[in-house]
């Protein structure tokens, strides 16, 4: 962990991926998050998947929350560089609530994937409320949190909050809420939110709508929004005459479990 923390501090590291090493303690996770640069870094992608055992996370919820707090600090610093975060860790409701507090203040973060993180309705509601005032995210994935979020009334409340968030968020283009409860009433609210002209959503992955008619309306609306956005993009911006410079290499760190790979690949820009 010390070596990985030092690697995270390297100013020319662009991508950090830690996957399938199911032996990272919550304390070690917090140490990694604490090593995230608050400025002067090129780090753009952070991916930490399937590293912390569920039983350890459930015993150390305060430490997991501290790790999410440290991540939030890195995402909201004045010189933040991270554009993409993917976590597949048992952060639970408490960790999700802490991370959600950072969402209104992120500036560089464009994609957040917290699918399969064991987040219940309380954490999802917090993320939805943070999304409402976020001005940087274009992609959000909160899908597949487990059986506890599929049918109960509190889980339905989280979907209602995501609908409300889309009424004020003008940046998000892709939302994945698959496996969260979908009712006809929620589908109506989703249609109303997406219909707002300022809403930029063009893709929503969701559970099946009970009413076929509403499901068709929602699908047609999303297709129309996507068409409108694509049409706007086809209008070329005024030419500046400048030729963008090509980047010659990328700094990458990737570590997978022994079953996937036996190597740690670290390429750092000179």
């Amino acid at each position: 962990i010390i070596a990985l923390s030092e690697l995270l501090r390297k100013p020319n590291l662009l991508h950090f991926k830690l996957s399938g090493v199911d032996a990272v303690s919550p304390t070690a996770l917090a140490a990694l998050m604490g090593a995230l640069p608050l400025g002067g870094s090129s780090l753009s992608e952070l991916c930490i998947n399937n590293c912390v055992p569920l039983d350890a996370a459930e015993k150390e919820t305060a430490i997991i929350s501290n790790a999410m707090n440290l991540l939030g600090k890195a995402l909201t610093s004045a010189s933040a560089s991270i554009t993409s975060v993917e976590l597949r860790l048992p952060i639970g409701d408490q960790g999700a609530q802490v991370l959600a507090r950072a969402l209104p203040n992120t500036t560089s973060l464009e994609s957040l994937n917290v699918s399969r993180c064991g987040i219940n309705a309380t954490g999802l509601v917090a993320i939805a409320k943070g999304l409402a005032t976020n001005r940087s995210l274009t992609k959000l994935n909160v899908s597949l949190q487990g059986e506890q979020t599929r049918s109960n009334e509190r889980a339905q409340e989280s979907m209602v909050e995501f609908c409300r968030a889309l009424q004020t968020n003008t940046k998000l283009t892709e939302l994945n809420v698959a496996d969260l409860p979908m009712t006809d009433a929620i589908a109506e609210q989703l249609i109303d939110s997406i219909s707002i002209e300022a809403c930029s959503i063009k893709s929503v992955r969701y559970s099946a709508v009970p009413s076929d008619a509403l499901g068709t309306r929602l699908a047609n609306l999303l297709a129309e929004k996507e068409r409108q956005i694509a049409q706007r993009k086809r209008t070329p911006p005024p030419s500046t005459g400048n030729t963008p410079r090509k980047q010659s290499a990328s700094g990458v760190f990737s570590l997978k479990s022994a079953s996937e790979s036996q190597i740690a690949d670290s390429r750092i820009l000179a």
Side-chain angles (χ1 to χ4, degrees), residues 54-234:
L54 176 60
D55 58 345
E58 290 177 341
K59 293 176 183 177
E60 303 285 358
T61 56
I63 297 177
I64 293 291
S65 294
N66 182 46
M68 293 303 99
N69 181 54
L70 293 168
L71 173 58
K73 287 183 178 180
L75 296 176
T76 57
S77 68
S79 302
S81 62
I82 299 174
T83 60
S84 175
V85 171
E86 179 181 334
L87 303 177
R88 188 162 293 178
L89 302 168
I91 66 173
D93 270 351
Q94 192 171 326
Q97 287 175 280
V98 173
L99 182 58
R101 289 203 292 264
L103 291 182
N105 301 309
T106 61
T107 55
S108 64
L109 185 64
E110 298 174 0
S111 175
L112 176 62
N113 185 341
V114 287
S115 174
R116 302 179 188 270
C117 283
I119 304 171
N120 295 330
T122 300
L124 291 170
V125 167
I127 291 174
K129 289 183 176 180
L131 177 66
T133 53
N134 179 275
R135 293 296 177 265
S136 69
L137 278 175
T138 59
K139 299 178 182 179
L140 176 63
N141 185 345
V142 294
S143 65
L144 305 174
Q145 300 299 341
E147 181 66 34
Q148 69 279 0
T149 62
R150 290 176 187 157
S151 58
N152 63 61
E153 291 184 6
R154 182 67 172 150
Q156 290 183 22
E157 183 183 340
S158 69
M159 276 298 299
V160 171
E161 288 295 339
F162 279 113
C163 293
R164 289 173 179 164
L166 296 181
Q167 294 176 6
T168 56
N169 184 298
T170 60
K171 188 76 172 178
L172 198 73
T173 61
E174 298 180 26
L175 175 64
N176 189 340
V177 288
D179 217 28
L180 270 65
M182 175 63 75
T183 65
D184 287 346
I186 291 173
E188 289 274 16
Q189 288 183 286
L190 191 55
I191 289 170
D192 290 344
S193 298
I194 296 173
S195 298
I196 296 173
E197 186 175 356
C199 179
S200 298
I201 278 287
K202 64 178 183 179
S203 173
V204 180
R205 296 191 65 181
Y206 51 88
S207 302
V209 180
S211 165
D212 290 341
L214 280 175
T216 300
R217 278 181 59 198
L218 180 54
N220 289 343
L221 176 60
L222 287 167
E224 176 61 18
K225 292 286 284 193
E226 186 172 13
R227 185 195 66 77
Q228 292 173 358
I229 292 170
Q231 188 175 33
R232 287 198 295 267
K233 286 184 176 180
R234 282 197 293 268

